[in-house]
Amino acid sequence: QGQLVESGGGLVQAGGSLRLSCAASGSIFTRVAMAWFRQAPGKQRELVATISRDGTTNYADSVKGRFTISRVGAKTMVYLQMNSLKPEDTAVYSCAAWRLDTDPNAYRYWGQGTQVTVSS
């Protein structure tokens, strides 16, 4: 019914920027909430940002003011602009879709993830 594919990860120095993209194939994604999660080695998956169907956004305290989530509904693309990156932002970032929630178990669709590494 649908697929999520992330891109845009990579290696960047502290203070740098990256933009992650999530391509959502399937009309269902125009009707659900979208989110970015991340998981660092040895740590639990954590919510980074969410965006509702009407464009309302929410962010984890650790990324507020540095990251911006956006979506282009007609093309079903979701972006995560990451500025002022810190080494602690290093993780695998995954795009998710379904019910707006902070719990990753609430999301039905997941991408494969993209690695972001921030060097000090």
Side-chain angles (χ1 to χ4, degrees), residues 60-74:
D61 288 343
S62 59
V63 306
K64 278 181 182 177
R66 299 189 298 122
F67 290 12
T68 302
I69 187 171
S70 60
R71 68 189 297 173
V72 180

Side-chain angles (χ1 to χ4, degrees), residues 56-105:
T56 301
T57 59
N58 279 288
Y59 299 91
D61 288 343
S62 59
V63 306
K64 278 181 182 177
R66 299 189 298 122
F67 290 12
T68 302
I69 187 171
S70 60
R71 68 189 297 173
V72 180
K75 296 183 180 180
T76 326
M77 292 290 296
V78 179
Y79 302 100
L80 185 68
Q81 178 67 43
M82 305 185 295
N83 299 327
S84 302
L85 282 161
K86 305 175 181 180
E88 52 263 44
D89 294 319
T90 295
V92 174
Y93 285 71
S94 299
C95 178
W98 198 240
R99 188 182 79 227
L100 187 65
D101 205 302
T102 58
D103 183 353
N105 294 317

Side-chain angles (χ1 to χ4, degrees), residues 2-117:
Q3 186 179 14
L4 301 175
V5 178
E6 303 98 333
S7 61
L11 174 64
V12 64
Q13 287 189 332
S17 299
L18 281 175
R19 189 177 82 154
L20 305 183
S21 299
C22 174
S25 59
S27 61
I28 188 172
F29 296 113
T30 63
R31 305 190 297 273
V32 298
M34 305 290 291
W36 285 96
F37 286 82
R38 68 185 181 186
Q39 187 167 20
K43 295 188 177 181
Q44 288 189 334
R45 180 176 285 171
E46 65 171 347
L47 179 68
V48 176
T50 63
I51 186 165
S52 68
R53 291 170 52 187
D54 66 1
T56 301
T57 59
N58 279 288
Y59 299 91
D61 288 343
S62 59
V63 306
K64 278 181 182 177
R66 299 189 298 122
F67 290 12
T68 302
I69 187 171
S70 60
R71 68 189 297 173
V72 180
K75 296 183 180 180
T76 326
M77 292 290 296
V78 179
Y79 302 100
L80 185 68
Q81 178 67 43
M82 305 185 295
N83 299 327
S84 302
L85 282 161
K86 305 175 181 180
E88 52 263 44
D89 294 319
T90 295
V92 174
Y93 285 71
S94 299
C95 178
W98 198 240
R99 188 182 79 227
L100 187 65
D101 205 302
T102 58
D103 183 353
N105 294 317
Y107 291 83
R108 179 175 294 185
Y109 295 94
W110 288 87
Q112 82 287 354
T114 185
Q115 177 70 46
V116 171
T117 303

